[in-house]
Amino acid sequence: MIADKMKGMVANSSAIRAMFEEGTRMAAQYGAENVYDFSLGNPNVPAPASVKKAIVELLDEEDPVVLHGYTNSNSGYADVRQTVADSLNRRFGTSFAGKNIIMTVGAAGGLNVILKTLLNPGDEVITFAPYFGEYRSYTNNYDGVLVEISPDTETFQPKLDEFRAKITPKTKAVIVNTPNNPTGVVYSEETIKKMAAILEEKQKEYGTDIYLISDEPYRELVYDGVEVPWLTKYYANTIVGYSYSKSLSLPGERIGYLVIPDEVTDSETVLSAANVATRILGFVNAPTLQQKVVAKCIGEETDISFYNRNRETLYSGLKDCGFTCIKPEGAFYLFVKSPVADEKAFCAEAKKYHILLVPGSSFGCPGYVRIAYCVSYETIVNSLPKFRELARQYF
Ligand code: PLP
């Protein structure tokens, strides 16, 4: 018999994955071109050509025993960590050393490492709805308690009064995700400054340490020159989790990193505990070939114009049909208001038109649906008449 805790997790298992599997089944039945699968954030843009080049060069040139071996440190290759630190320092005017970087198995691996490192059972982790639903599972993995801040559906910026009110002596961490999945909203500098001030105030009031975890796999996926604040500059107890899954279209390769700055409380202890967490969670170390690949490709970017074209076409197309949605400034998601309160019923209706959407309740925000527009442009264009037919039922 499986563990009781796991039973709960299986019961709440990801609606996104379920929808994706449904999409694969429908594509086999109706033909892929007749299914508009907007369920999963699986980039449709190929990785930059430099990624393939780097892989080939590494396979040709590196000692295979080293290239495919365990790394000396569970935190990753020293030269790769230094390359990442140097790149961040150039971009953000910071002064990280290689030791501040821990290479991880994507953002998911990084979040699990840091939550394992920080949480005692019963510790609270705050996040802002709508949020990436896996935060609940990751927190639960370490017997933490996820505390949600309700969504501000006007702006989808964090509700800071509610945030202040919900911080308790048990609050150990706050997870923010900007650019945001599922809204595409970027938290403004003003929001971040206010959030930092609240965290400082509460740390003083309770005499505790509250770690701000910035989960940012979409950092470079921004439009119209929008700036994404670099959070370690605003609040000392900030840990950054990054991933190349979206920025280099490498989600299956499972590669990313954590930044644990010296300014973080007990930085040395946190760093060495995160190193151990990487090992004992069973990751042992982040994939070695991919560590070398991302170091070689540092500074490379995905083709943002591809996503931008999808964003503009879908956003204006949906608005023309009568749907309401905040225009995303980043990532590759649209978060659309469901025309009926029960958004799951709306998703079921959309499925009749072969349009696959994810209900907002998967992100702690019922009444909305998420559209992942990291699909081909043809899928976007061909889906619009279907959206129009669907909309006719409601508007
Ligand atoms: N965090 C957010 C906000 C995400 O949207 C995702 C993936 O979609 C992840 C983390 C996990 O990303 P990774 O593939 O790097 O583990």
Side-chain angles (χ1 to χ4, degrees):
M1 193 52 133
I2 63 166
D4 293 342
K5 191 170 162 185
M6 202 56 211
K7 283 183 199 158
M9 292 209 174
V10 173
N12 297 321
S13 185
S14 171
I16 305 179
R17 280 275 158 189
M19 204 50 117
F20 183 61
E21 281 159 24
E22 179 71 0
T24 311
R25 191 192 60 72
M26 284 173 70
Q29 191 176 351
Y30 303 110
E33 69 287 4
N34 298 315
V35 179
Y36 313 99
D37 186 352
F38 297 106
S39 61
L40 198 63
N42 208 5
N44 195 271
V45 178
S50 54
V51 167
K52 181 175 174 186
K53 188 163 166 275
I55 293 172
V56 172
E57 279 171 10
L58 286 162
L59 292 176
D60 279 345
E61 291 163 14
E62 293 271 324
D63 176 352
V65 174
V66 177
L67 187 61
H68 304 301
Y70 295 127
T71 49
N72 271 346
S73 161
N74 299 116
S75 301
Y77 286 120
D79 60 329
V80 171
R81 297 163 74 195
Q82 189 61 52
T83 304
V84 170
D86 291 344
S87 157
L88 293 173
N89 295 340
R90 274 195 305 276
R91 292 169 66 195
F92 304 114
T94 46
S95 48
F96 302 124
K99 73 165 171 61
N100 298 114
I101 310 298
I102 297 192
M103 301 308 291
T104 63
V105 178
L111 286 168
N112 274 279
V113 164
I114 199 60
L115 292 173
K116 172 130 185 111
T117 298
L118 295 178
L119 294 188
N120 284 313
D123 278 350
E124 291 169 3
V125 177
I126 296 184
T127 199
F128 300 90
Y131 59 88
F132 180 55
E134 299 288 53
Y135 295 161
R136 181 167 294 283
S137 315
Y138 301 164
T139 301
N140 187 259
N141 282 346
Y142 313 104
D143 295 323
V145 177
L146 191 76
V147 175
E148 286 180 27
I149 307 300
S150 66
D152 170 352
T153 52
E154 286 299 307
T155 63
F156 288 110
Q157 292 281 330
K159 272 191 188 166
L160 295 176
D161 288 341
E162 187 178 330
F163 175 52
R164 180 187 275 107
K166 284 192 172 164
I167 300 176
T168 75
K170 283 201 146 299
T171 307
K172 191 66 182 282
V174 175
I175 306 179
V176 291
N177 166 227
T178 166
N180 182 264
N181 173 9
T183 62
V185 161
V186 174
Y187 294 177
S188 67
E189 185 180 37
E190 198 196 334
T191 299
I192 298 298
K193 281 185 176 160
K194 287 185 186 157
M195 192 183 284
I198 292 169
L199 285 166
E200 298 283 7
E201 172 197 315
K202 289 291 173 181
Q203 284 196 138
K204 257 199 212 110
E205 184 182 334
Y206 297 134
T208 54
D209 290 303
I210 307 174
Y211 294 90
L212 178 62
I213 302 171
S214 178
D215 176 31
E216 42 186 73
Y218 304 97
R219 167 163 284 280
E220 292 83 14
L221 271 63
V222 283
Y223 311 103
D224 307 329
V226 166
E227 294 278 330
V228 183
W230 176 257
L231 299 200
T232 68
K233 286 187 177 166
Y234 300 88
Y235 180 66
N237 253 344
T238 300
I239 292 168
V240 176
Y242 183 78
S243 164
Y244 293 93
S245 292
K246 320 290 172 164
S247 61
L248 289 185
S249 296
L250 296 175
E253 301 297 350
R254 316 304 304 130
I255 187 75
Y257 57 80
L258 285 169
V259 188
I260 302 177
D262 289 341
E263 290 73 18
V264 160
T265 308
D266 298 328
S267 173
E268 289 299 323
T269 327
V270 174
L271 276 162
S272 51
N275 178 70
V276 173
T278 301
R279 193 185 81 229
I280 66 178
L281 282 172
F283 300 130
V284 183
N285 51 243
T288 46
L289 173 61
Q290 296 306 327
Q291 288 191 41
K292 294 278 185 189
V293 169
V294 295
K296 262 182 175 279
C297 296
I298 210 95
E300 285 291 337
E301 286 184 7
T302 191
D303 179 5
I304 193 75
S305 67
F306 173 93
Y307 294 124
N308 196 27
R309 185 163 74 144
N310 283 0
R311 176 184 76 128
E312 294 288 0
T313 308
L314 194 57
Y315 174 74
S316 52
L318 291 179
K319 269 186 66 172
D320 287 348
C321 296
F323 291 107
T324 335
C325 166
I326 193 157
K327 189 166 188 188
E329 294 181 314
F332 39 50
Y333 306 106
L334 283 173
F335 205 51
V336 180
K337 192 166 173 25
S338 166
V340 287
D342 177 1
E343 90 281 5
K344 287 184 182 159
F346 175 60
C347 289
E349 201 53 39
K351 211 165 93 181
K352 293 182 189 161
Y353 297 84
H354 298 178
I355 298 173
L356 299 184
L357 311 170
V358 181
S361 41
S362 302
F363 307 94
C365 190
Y368 286 78
V369 295
R370 188 191 77 172
I371 301 181
Y373 60 81
C374 47
V375 297
S376 73
Y377 186 61
E378 295 80 74
T379 302
I380 301 278
V381 171
N382 295 338
S383 72
L384 284 175
K386 298 287 171 193
F387 272 113
R388 191 165 289 282
E389 283 177 47
L390 174 65
R392 271 197 212 111
Q393 295 188 36
Y394 302 101
F395 307 116

